[in-house]
């Protein structure tokens, strides 16, 4: 689990404000080792600029150069696999000679790391889309062939995912394989951290996480979507840019993305467009079971982050509100009926 062990170092290297982390680790030492060439007094910028400055196409963050940063997770993973445990739990940067030696060490055996990753994920990670493909395959072999590999049956006594869900995710991966190894592990860890930042209104830090992930993986629609989501509360125009771009790159959660775009349009006084977008979704793109998730919800006059919300219900609520504001009683009546249908 090297991505978990080194997440704090990675976050400290790429977020603009990190006082809590800086008091616990040698920040400048890590920046020097990682070849980033920036001290704690010279931090990168983020997408958070004034509302009128362009459309947010690309940010200024990472001016130290994306090439060195691209290799940061891989180098940190090598350190996590070879460092003394006391250094690991205190994030102590190694001496330069030790750092270079660790970079030349062989990677751990895949059959061992895959097995322990599977054991961790089946006990601690509920969302199957966060499992590695190797974990899904090992779970299938265990459920159908009783192959336990490195572990005793007692270690696998806990209930795993249902066969129906497991088979469905394996089939989806076969059709859309993607990259579910390092990129996914890093992405999910950054997403969990970003949620913590957003709950404390630390928008710059949250945006910076996905900004750097986007520089490493420019075609990952999830990073584009999440950059937009993190910007919604402070810069709806830039948020809308990234949400629309995520759609073009195939972001799969259409309902959530549509609701988020409609939120931005409402805040930009483009209510008619928001209403048309919601109607188009309802008529042509609505799915039977939309994923729930974190959403920005209007509470009184303030937008607040809410967890585990139904985007279909929230979209209908937003459309009803916008229709009323525009004086479109006919459309408001239609959305009221739809909300009542959802409640039923």
């Amino acid at each position: 689990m090297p991505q978990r062990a080194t997440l704090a170092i990675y976050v400290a290297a790429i977020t603009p404000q990190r006082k809590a982390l800086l008091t616990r680790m040698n920040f400048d030492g890590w920046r020097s080792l990682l070849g980033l060439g920036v001290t704690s007094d010279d931090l990168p910028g983020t997408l958070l600029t004034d509302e009128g400055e362009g459309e947010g196409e690309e940010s200024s963050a990472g001016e130290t150069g994306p090439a060195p940063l691209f290799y940061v997770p891989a180098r940190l993973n090598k350190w996590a696999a070879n460092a003394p445990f006391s250094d690991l739990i205190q994030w102590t940067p190694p001496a330069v000679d030790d750092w270079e030696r660790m970079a030349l060490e062989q990677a751990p055996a895949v059959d061992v790391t895959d097995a322990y990753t599977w054991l961790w994920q089946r006990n601690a990670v509920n969302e199957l889309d966060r499992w590695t493909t190797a974990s899904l395959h090992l779970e299938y072999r265990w459920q159908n062939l009783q192959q336990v590999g490195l572990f005793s049956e007692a270690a696998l006594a806990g209930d795993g995912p249902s066969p129906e869900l497991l088979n469905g995710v394996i089939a989806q991966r076969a059709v859309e394989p993607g990259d579910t190894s390092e990129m996914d592990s890093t992405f999910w860890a950054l997403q969990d951290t970003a949620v913590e930042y957003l709950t404390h209104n630390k928008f710059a830090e949250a945006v910076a996480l996905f900004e750097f992930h986007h520089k490493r993986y420019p075609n990952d629609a999830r990073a584009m979507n999440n950059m937009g989501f993190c910007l919604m509360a402070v810069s709806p125009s830039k948020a809308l840019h990234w949400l629309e771009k995520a759609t073009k790159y195939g972001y799969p959660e259409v309902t959530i993305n549509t609701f988020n775009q409609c939120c931005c349009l409402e805040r930009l006084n483009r209510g008619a467009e928001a209403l048309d977008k919601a109607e188009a979704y309802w008529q042509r793109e609505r799915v039977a079971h939309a994923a729930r998730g974190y959403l920005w919800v209007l509470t009184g006059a303030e937008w607040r982050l809410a967890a585990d919300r139904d985007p279909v219900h929230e979209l209908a609520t937003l459309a009803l509100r916008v229709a009323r504001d525009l004086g479109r009683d006919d459309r408001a009546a239609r959305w009221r009926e739809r909300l009542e249908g959802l409640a039923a």
Side-chain angles (χ1 to χ4, degrees):
M1 300 165 61
Q3 292 87 2
R4 293 277 170 171
T6 61
L7 177 63
I9 301 171
Y10 188 54
V11 168
I14 63 178
T15 54
Q17 298 176 19
R18 55 186 78 78
K19 292 181 180 179
L21 288 173
L22 288 175
T23 60
R24 301 180 186 179
M25 71 172 65
N26 181 351
F27 174 79
D28 292 341
W30 278 113
R31 296 286 302 197
S32 176
L33 273 178
L34 295 170
L36 299 178
V38 178
T39 68
S40 55
D41 296 323
D42 182 18
L43 302 175
T46 75
L47 284 166
L48 289 173
T49 56
D50 291 338
E51 193 66 43
E53 294 183 9
E55 294 298 321
E57 178 63 40
E58 294 297 342
S59 72
S60 61
E63 292 298 331
T64 52
L69 188 71
F70 187 90
Y71 298 101
V72 166
R75 295 297 300 271
L76 289 175
N77 292 349
K78 279 292 188 73
W79 171 77
N82 294 279
F85 193 69
S86 59
D87 288 355
L88 193 65
I89 62 176
Q90 297 180 55
W91 303 311
T92 303
V96 174
D97 290 345
D98 291 335
W99 179 251
E100 297 299 332
R101 176 184 55 79
M102 291 175 185
L104 299 176
E105 294 286 346
Q106 291 186 346
V110 173
D111 56 343
V112 176
T113 56
D114 284 352
Y116 277 96
T117 299
W118 167 48
L119 187 65
W120 161 56
Q121 290 180 332
R122 83 183 308 269
N123 284 282
V125 181
N126 293 325
E127 302 89 346
L128 283 182
D129 57 354
R130 296 195 181 197
W131 283 33
T132 65
T133 301
S135 292
L136 294 172
H137 292 175
L138 288 168
E139 181 68 26
Y140 181 89
R141 294 189 185 104
W142 164 239
Q143 290 191 10
N144 293 275
L145 305 174
Q146 300 298 299
Q147 295 179 358
V148 298
L150 300 177
F151 311 116
S152 67
E153 293 187 17
L156 303 171
D159 292 335
S162 69
E164 294 79 8
L165 288 176
L166 178 67
N167 293 341
V169 176
I170 290 176
Q172 183 179 15
R173 291 280 176 88
V175 175
E176 302 174 356
D179 182 354
T180 58
S181 54
E182 180 188 305
M183 181 180 76
D184 267 11
S185 298
T186 303
F187 175 82
W188 293 120
L190 294 181
Q191 179 165 289
D192 292 341
T193 304
V195 170
E196 295 182 24
Y197 282 151
L198 292 177
T199 57
H200 294 90
N201 296 327
K202 295 182 178 181
F203 304 109
E205 292 87 334
V207 173
L209 297 177
F210 298 113
E211 193 176 10
F212 277 95
H213 185 82
H214 174 63
K215 286 186 177 295
R216 297 188 67 231
Y217 304 103
N219 295 324
D220 190 351
R222 300 172 306 176
M224 301 174 197
N225 178 81
N226 286 15
M227 276 194 286
F229 184 79
C230 294
L231 286 163
M232 284 175 61
V234 290
S235 181
S237 64
K238 287 181 170 52
L240 183 61
H241 164 80
W242 286 108
L243 293 169
E244 291 175 339
K245 194 168 184 178
T247 300
K248 294 178 182 178
Y249 276 77
Y251 181 67
E253 302 299 342
V254 177
T255 310
I256 290 178
N257 183 275
T258 300
F259 171 72
N260 289 338
Q261 288 193 43
C262 288
C263 288
C264 294
L265 290 169
E266 182 186 13
R267 291 192 63 198
L268 292 169
N269 296 318
R270 294 160 61 181
E273 293 178 56
L275 202 56
D276 289 344
K277 183 174 285 292
E279 186 68 35
Y281 165 81
W282 205 272
Q283 295 287 350
R284 296 187 290 272
E285 298 180 289
R286 187 181 172 192
V287 296
H289 302 287
R292 301 171 70 92
Y294 290 96
L295 299 175
W296 292 105
V297 178
L298 186 61
T299 305
E302 183 180 356
W303 289 90
R304 294 184 177 178
L305 184 66
D308 195 32
R309 289 299 185 98
D310 178 5
V312 178
H313 181 274
E314 298 298 339
L315 180 64
T317 301
L318 180 147
L320 174 59
R321 180 174 66 245
V322 171
R324 286 172 173 170
D325 292 341
L326 294 175
R328 293 297 306 268
D329 294 338
D330 55 334
R331 301 185 74 172
R334 187 183 312 155
W335 283 105
R336 189 181 303 107
E337 291 177 2
R338 289 167 174 170
L339 266 175
E340 292 171 354
L342 292 175

